[in-house]
Amino acid sequence: EGAEVHVDASVSAPLFTVHKGAPRVHLRGLRLVGAVHVSGGTVEMSECHSTGSPHGSPSRRRALRTSSPAADGSRAGLRIDGGAVLVRGTTFSGHVDGPAIAIANGSLTVQGGLLRHNHAMAGAGLLVTGGEADIKNTLIEGNTAAESGGGLKVTGGTVRLSDRTLMRGNAAPEGATMHLAGGETTYRLPTPLGRWVVISSGLAAELTPGHYDSAFPYPCSAGLVGNSDVLGLQSGPSCAGPCPAGQQCPGATVVPQACEQGHFCLLGSPAATPCPSGTFGAAANLTSVDGCSECPMGAACVAGTAEPRPCDPGSYSGAGSASCTA
């Protein structure tokens, strides 16, 4: 507990391996620079940071040094070939020789995790070739795969995504977000606010095999708001409904934005519309063009004007003018 564990990258071995029959292992508050291999037993990781890079701010915690593998492009920060692993509140970042987490057998549960900025040939965030993986309330973002499955790749086993888990900003030539090539993958509500999945019945979506390039769950479209925890309003593209009049919703909107002065926002507006030339909008949150006022005599109002601009001395304008005449 409360240690920083480093490795010597010139030696081909993980930080440590947990085998079948080993006593229960609980890692808490560690910074793990290298790989952990679980082939049996029970392991719990709480509030740790697993990274493939020793660079960064030096820790003031005590350091335990062991040996580590040479970079071969196939190592995962956490590799599971058996046993049961529970990961809570732990970050996996900076792994460049393999996925943040890979599971081939056994069981994995991740709660409140962060898988960010990892690089691998496939499944840079999470690679599942067998076993069972339950991913809850976890953010998988900014991971890059050279081949497929930037955030997640599944070729076997069972994957259950749930409790607001979100994948965004990942990259790969095929399946920037996910590549589902086998096994079974589901997403169980709730989604993060502002997002949705397709569910025909019940509370879980069965994801079809293929490449997923968009962020997942999908963002509510521009002009819609997704501010409801009602599960039925997260199970289709309509989200919680159109953006309220007088406000704007640019996409994945949870809290609609105010319609700024000089503009109006109809019901379902993705963006504010400028008041026409010759009018102005002194108030915010106008709900229609009828809320825009005629520009007064002696002033000019271009499109989107919040306050009329008085004509310069020696020039004039009639009511409803976009410009002044010298």
Side-chain angles (χ1 to χ4, degrees), residues 280-300:
F280 70 99
N285 301 324
L286 297 180
T287 60
S288 73
V289 69
D290 295 337
C292 302
S293 302
E294 184 180 57
C295 197
M297 295 178 59

Side-chain angles (χ1 to χ4, degrees), residues 4 6 31 33 49 51-60:
E4 181 170 348
H6 287 266
R31 185 170 185 267
V33 185
H49 183 187
T51 180
S53 171
H55 304 296
S57 302
S59 172
R60 296 181 180 177

Side-chain angles (χ1 to χ4, degrees), residues 73-97:
S74 63
R75 287 305 306 261
L78 172 60
R79 176 181 164 190
I80 305 167
D81 291 321
V85 179
L86 171 61
V87 179
R88 291 179 177 153
T90 291
T91 296
F92 291 80
S93 66
H95 291 282
V96 297
D97 301 326

Side-chain angles (χ1 to χ4, degrees), residues 92-322:
F92 291 80
S93 66
H95 291 282
V96 297
D97 301 326
I101 304 176
I103 176 171
N105 200 356
S107 67
L108 165 70
T109 301
V110 180
Q111 297 176 341
L114 174 60
L115 281 56
R116 173 185 282 168
H117 300 159
N118 301 285
H119 300 261
M121 293 300 292
L126 174 62
L127 175 64
V128 182
T129 58
E132 296 188 5
D134 285 282
I135 313 300
K136 305 176 180 181
N137 190 29
T138 292
L139 177 60
I140 303 174
E141 70 170 359
N143 303 286
T144 302
E147 294 181 350
S148 61
L152 168 66
K153 181 163 184 176
V154 182
T155 62
T158 301
V159 179
R160 291 180 286 267
L161 308 169
S162 65
D163 296 341
R164 306 188 193 281
T165 288
L166 172 62
M167 289 176 280
R168 65 186 181 191
N170 300 289
E174 295 183 338
T177 296
M178 294 184 288
H179 179 200
L180 306 182
E184 179 181 330
T185 303
T186 59
Y187 192 104
R188 186 176 180 84
L189 298 177
T191 69
L193 292 178
R195 296 183 177 270
W196 61 277
V197 295
V198 176
I199 297 180
S200 57
S201 63
L203 298 177
E206 295 183 3
L207 306 186
T208 57
H211 301 141
Y212 293 70
D213 292 315
S214 301
F216 192 87
Y218 303 114
C220 294
S221 297
L224 298 175
V225 62
N227 58 0
S228 177
D229 275 317
V230 176
L231 301 184
L233 299 179
Q234 298 181 350
S235 59
S238 297
C239 295
C243 195
Q247 296 177 302
Q248 53 186 320
C249 299
T253 297
V254 178
V255 179
Q257 302 172 9
C259 199
E260 61 264 33
Q261 290 177 290
H263 297 71
F264 64 93
C265 295
L266 301 174
L267 179 70
S269 290
T273 302
C275 288
S277 297
T279 69
F280 70 99
N285 301 324
L286 297 180
T287 60
S288 73
V289 69
D290 295 337
C292 302
S293 302
E294 184 180 57
C295 197
M297 295 178 59
C301 301
V302 298
T305 293
E307 183 177 349
R309 180 180 64 82
C311 293
D312 295 331
S315 63
Y316 67 94
S317 71
S321 295

Side-chain angles (χ1 to χ4, degrees), residues 16-43:
F16 57 84
T17 300
V18 181
H19 295 287
K20 182 178 180 180
R24 184 183 184 93
V25 176
H26 187 186
L27 309 175
R28 182 165 56 191
L30 297 175
R31 185 170 185 267
L32 302 165
V33 185
V36 173
H37 180 201
V38 180
S39 61
T42 301
V43 176

